[in-house]
Amino acid sequence: MKIPMQWINEYAKIPMDPETYMNRMIMCGDGVEGYENLGAEVDNVVVGRVLTCVPHPDSDHLHITTVDVGEEQPLQIVCGAPNCEAGILVPVAKVGAHLPGGVKIKKGKLRGVVSEGMLCSSDELGVPVELYPSVGSAGLLIFQEDHPLGADVRPILGIDDTVMDFEVLANRPDCLSVWGMARETAVACGTEFHQPEITVKECGGDVHDYVKVDVEAADLCPRYIARVMKDVRVGPSPMWLRKYLHGAGMRSINNVVDITNFVMLETGHPMHAFDLDMVEGHHIIVRKAVEGEHITTLDGKSHPLTPGQLVICDAQKPSCLAGIMGGEESEITEKTRTMMFECAVFDRASTRVTSRSLGIRTESSGRFEKGVSVKTAM
């Protein structure tokens, strides 16, 4: 399991460098396969504002720009990006900067014009679009917020962290979470573990007015909790959330899906979100599949179901593979306005058998297979 050290630090301080921390955890019985310093190949890249941008006199695609990077004099940089224009805020690799792949920026001439650095795209910095939405290789990465000129771009782009790759054994499902590894960290480092207090402010009436839940297979689902949220606006997640998910090896999708993945990674308890308007009859039924049923999962694949497999259904059909993967029809999209969060506990053996028979392995199924406590479903 990959966890950014800054995330662990929120709950248990790590008063040592990554190498010492890794060795300390190993000596205390927590396997660590290694660690990665995000942004280690990026150096001397700062925030700059393009002041002027004019066509190169000897090129049909190059531009000559002047860029303010917070120094006494602006830099002159020749740039070929199609989206380069005056006024934008972009990453600037100054002379002497290093970029992924061993690239070193030097002062030089492009078609006779001196260039004192490089304006960067997300690809050139090794930053995926999911981490920081931009045009990537099609042009410059343009900052969407205001930042001080000359500021280091690594914390802005979420590549200023170290990610630990923990090896979690089958007998330690409690360690498949940030909280679990933070507890281990507190013991190994002699610091304190601080778990946040979680409170929920409810409003807008009784949840039973919006959704009905029936559990017909209590032997395979001993606990099922639902909460409804109205007037939802689906969009990009904030940077801190995208950063943590990226460090943990997960792709940011949207604020709703991302928060379910965040909760799973932080607490170890998987969640799922339904577009409630797409749930027939606003009725959730937890039951075993019957002969002839099938489901199309979020990955677009259709799966025939075997009688006895645990599914989450609406009033007409299966809508989700319990503890494994959601269904396509109730997927969260930009059109979602009313949604339902699911937090449940599913039988270990049932989840494992269904996952293997359908050939679907997910972060969620892996946790339910190893065991999720009923007490953490809240």
Side-chain angles (χ1 to χ4, degrees), residues 86 104 113 127 173 246 299 320 343:
K104 184 176 181 179
V113 176
V127 177
H246 173 69
D299 57 5
C320 178
C343 187

Side-chain angles (χ1 to χ4, degrees), residues 211-216 224 274 276 278-290 293-295 305 309-322 330 340 342 346:
V211 64
K212 179 182 180 183
V213 177
D214 287 319
V215 179
E216 298 180 357
Y224 191 98
F274 296 82
L276 194 54
M278 303 304 294
V279 175
E280 292 288 344
H282 287 196
H283 190 184
I284 294 291
I285 307 170
V286 186
R287 62 169 173 82
K288 299 174 183 178
V290 298
E293 289 187 316
H294 69 278
I295 186 173
L305 299 175
Q309 292 177 334
L310 188 64
V311 288
I312 314 299
C313 306
D314 59 23
Q316 295 185 358
K317 61 192 178 304
S319 183
C320 178
L321 291 172
S330 59
M340 188 196 83
E342 165 199 283
F346 302 114

Side-chain angles (χ1 to χ4, degrees), residues 184-205:
E184 297 292 299
T185 296
V187 174
C189 298
T191 55
E192 294 185 5
F193 170 68
H194 300 281
Q195 184 168 319
E197 293 185 11
I198 300 175
T199 59
V200 177
K201 182 180 180 180
E202 297 181 342
C203 61

Side-chain angles (χ1 to χ4, degrees), residues 106-179:
K106 301 178 180 179
K107 183 176 180 179
K109 288 186 177 182
L110 288 175
R111 298 199 178 183
V113 176
V114 173
S115 183
E116 303 172 297
M118 186 175 78
L119 308 186
C120 302
S121 70
S122 58
D123 281 1
E124 289 163 337
L125 294 172
V127 177
V129 172
E130 296 82 12
L131 178 57
Y132 196 95
S134 70
V135 291
S137 59
L140 301 176
L141 187 157
I142 300 175
F143 289 117
Q144 300 169 353
E145 312 86 9
D146 193 23
H147 301 288
L149 299 179
D152 188 346
V153 302
R154 287 176 294 187
I156 296 172
L157 298 175
I159 53 173
D160 62 331
D161 206 347
T162 299
V163 175
M164 285 286 161
D165 191 357
F166 295 101
E167 180 185 9
V168 181
L169 301 180
N171 66 328
R172 292 301 306 273
D174 60 301
C175 289
L176 282 172
S177 67
V178 176
W179 287 358

Side-chain angles (χ1 to χ4, degrees), residues 8-23:
I8 297 175
N9 253 307
E10 290 193 17
Y11 307 111
K13 296 301 180 184
I14 305 175
M16 55 194 70
D17 62 82
E19 183 75 18
T20 304
Y21 171 62
M22 179 184 71
N23 293 330

